[in-house]
């Protein structure tokens, strides 16, 4: 890919909105694109779950493990070189749930987090503490989207219920039920009262570039945008706000967004997701530009016609350098 043109001055502060697995790959590309910028990575916490008495924050932990080279590279989540003695013992005791795989090393993170919560620390303070181990880069900050409790629950069809429906935690929907049941609604419990932390709003307003990672629009980016104060900060910031599609050719590259988008009335298509986030000159809109994969180049005209600048470039995150290439292409496009 071509080096950044002089015309595009490198940003000094970049804020990124991201989920877990795809989000961490994207952030590695952001660092490769802008080696000297301060990066504030605003991470979804609506995936969080309490199991076996431990508070588990999958997207935060995935981001820390991935950026700290402790991630299991095959799964994209959990720790490398993991062992499963504790889970084996829990199974032997017949203790549920056993469908959520917690490795011994990973459990240490949940023990530290749970102890710090009991000691009164906030999620932001806890993440900062955990990051001292995982993040060597002093200019990279991992921030929970809020310090308030938010949990995504999925309402699924269940004909064993008199009402014909049942709500399950997102993790049960994804991990135990493999996103198979029909989704009737997605509810982010607590989101209506959750507030962005001061660190998050400061990061968004002080940034000269904001990037929306190609994470799940419903359960990763959606909750972040729904936290009180985030959309107003995105609409007020002087930063350019550029979003990247995780839907390529009508399907998500990772995960189960195709099972959730219809439940919120959004077509499983790159252009539809961009218009769902919306152009900043439209009420509630947040984007200055929407970047889709070349597979969706056919959607560029209709997205532009709807008032949102759009670009189509190869979006596969096959390496941090490739990711950096398309990020720079998006930045130069809005420059
Ligand atoms: N994903 C799975 O598909 N199966 C699991 O057993 C599983 C366990 C798990 C434990 C800790 C953690 O941080 C993540 C874990 N994940 C698992 C991934 C997780 O469900 C997803 O990464 C996010 O919540 C969705 O982005």
């Amino acid at each position: 890919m071509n080096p950044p043109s002089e015309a595009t001055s490198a940003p000094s502060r970049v804020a990124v909105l991201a989920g877990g697995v795809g989000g961490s790959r994207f952030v590695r590309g952001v660092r490769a694109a802008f080696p000297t910028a301060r990066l504030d990575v605003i991470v979804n916490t609506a995936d969080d779950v309490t199991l076996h008495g431990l508070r588990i924050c999958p997207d935060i932990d995935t981001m820390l493990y991935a950026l700290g080279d402790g991630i299991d590279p095959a799964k994209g989540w959990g720790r490398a070189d993991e062992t499963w003695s504790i889970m084996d013992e829990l199974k032997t005791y017949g203790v549920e749930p056993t469908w959520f795989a917690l490795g011994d090393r990973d459990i240490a993170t949940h023990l530290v987090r749970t102890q710090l919560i009991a000691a009164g620390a906030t999620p932001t303070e806890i993440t900062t503490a955990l990051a001292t181990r995982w993040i060597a880069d002093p200019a990279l900050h991992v921030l929970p989207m809020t310090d308030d409790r938010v949990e995504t629950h999925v309402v699924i069809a269940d004909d064993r219920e008199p009402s014909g429906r049942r709500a399950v935690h997102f993790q049960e929907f994804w991990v135990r039920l493999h996103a198979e049941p029909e989704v009737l609604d997605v509810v982010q419990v607590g989101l209506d009262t959750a507030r962005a932390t001061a660190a998050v709003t400061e990061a968004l307003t002080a940034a000269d570039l904001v990037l929306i990672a190609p994470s799940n629009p419903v359960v990763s980016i959606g909750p972040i945008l729904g936290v009180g104060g985030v959309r107003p900060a995105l609409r007020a910031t002087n930063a350019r706000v550029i979003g990247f599609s995780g839907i390529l050719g009508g399907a998500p590259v990772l995960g189960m967004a195709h099972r959730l988008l219809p439940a919120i009335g959004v077509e499983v298509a790159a252009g539809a997701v961009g218009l769902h986030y919306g152009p900043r000159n439209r009420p509630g809109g947040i984007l200055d530009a929407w970047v889709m994969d070349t597979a969706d180049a056919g959607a560029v005209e209709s997205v532009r016609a709807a008032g949102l600048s759009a670009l189509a470039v190869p979006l596969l995150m096959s390496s941090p350098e490739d990711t950096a290439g398309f990020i720079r292409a998006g930045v130069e496009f809005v420059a």
Side-chain angles (χ1 to χ4, degrees), residues 207-223:
D208 37 25
L209 177 64
V210 176
L211 303 173
I212 312 295
S215 301
N216 189 312
V218 183
V219 294
S220 298
I221 301 301

Side-chain angles (χ1 to χ4, degrees), residues 20-21 47 56-59 61-62 65 77-78 99-102 106 110 170-171 174-175 220 256:
V21 180
D47 282 3
I56 298 160
C57 304
D59 283 0
D61 293 346
T62 297
Y65 293 164
W77 51 265
W99 47 264
F100 196 78
L102 291 169
D106 192 35
H110 312 319
F170 166 73
Q171 295 298 346
W174 171 230
V175 176
S220 298
M256 77 325 282

Side-chain angles (χ1 to χ4, degrees), residues 40 53 142 279 331:
D40 290 293
V142 177
V331 171

Side-chain angles (χ1 to χ4, degrees), residues 34-312:
F34 310 119
T36 60
R38 170 174 165 156
L39 301 188
D40 290 293
V41 183
I42 298 164
V43 180
N44 168 52
T45 56
D47 282 3
D48 294 3
V49 65
T50 298
L51 295 172
H52 308 294
L54 300 175
R55 192 67 180 161
I56 298 160
C57 304
D59 283 0
I60 293 276
D61 293 346
T62 297
M63 187 63 69
L64 293 176
Y65 293 164
L67 297 178
D69 292 328
I71 198 85
D72 175 322
K75 300 202 297 277
W77 51 265
R79 283 293 317 284
D81 310 320
E82 192 53 283
T83 54
W84 305 93
S85 302
I86 296 173
M87 281 299 287
D88 290 345
E89 290 297 297
L90 289 173
K91 285 175 185 167
T92 306
Y93 277 119
V95 166
E96 288 298 327
T98 55
W99 47 264
F100 196 78
L102 291 169
D104 301 327
R105 294 181 187 277
D106 192 35
I107 286 170
T109 301
H110 312 319
L111 285 170
V112 169
R113 172 176 286 114
T114 302
Q115 287 167 354
L116 289 175
I117 291 171
T122 66
T124 300
E125 290 163 342
I126 294 166
T127 303
T128 302
L130 295 171
T132 57
R133 170 183 176 179
W134 294 104
I135 308 292
D137 181 347
L140 196 158
H141 302 252
V142 177
L143 301 171
M145 66 186 192
T146 177
D147 279 339
D148 301 319
R149 182 164 176 169
V150 181
E151 285 189 4
T152 299
H153 288 240
V154 182
V155 180
I156 58 175
D158 183 343
D159 53 15
R160 293 170 304 175
E161 291 290 325
S163 63
R165 56 178 50 203
R166 175 163 69 95
V168 292
H169 189 286
F170 166 73
Q171 295 298 346
E172 180 172 0
F173 169 72
W174 171 230
V175 176
R176 190 171 77 80
L177 301 174
H178 308 295
E180 278 157 7
E182 180 194 355
V183 177
L184 303 177
D185 198 359
V186 179
V187 180
Q188 265 114 22
V189 178
L191 192 59
D192 48 336
T193 54
R195 302 289 306 159
T197 61
V200 163
T201 48
E202 195 272 336
L204 292 173
T205 45
D208 37 25
L209 177 64
V210 176
L211 303 173
I212 312 295
S215 301
N216 189 312
V218 183
V219 294
S220 298
I221 301 301
I224 302 174
L225 296 178
V227 165
V230 169
R231 265 204 176 83
L234 284 170
R235 293 178 60 74
T237 184
N238 293 324
R240 290 156 294 169
V241 182
I242 307 172
F244 297 82
S245 179
I247 305 289
L248 273 62
V253 178
L254 291 166
M256 77 325 282
H258 59 299
R259 303 289 296 145
L260 299 169
L261 282 163
I264 64 165
V266 178
E267 189 193 349
V268 185
V273 172
L275 294 173
H276 170 59
Y277 292 151
R280 276 170 90 177
N281 59 15
R282 197 185 73 192
I286 60 157
L287 294 176
D288 292 314
W290 179 242
V291 186
M292 300 179 280
D293 185 79
T294 43
D296 301 299
V300 167
E301 278 319 303
S302 58
V303 173
R304 286 177 180 167
L308 174 56
S309 298
L311 173 70

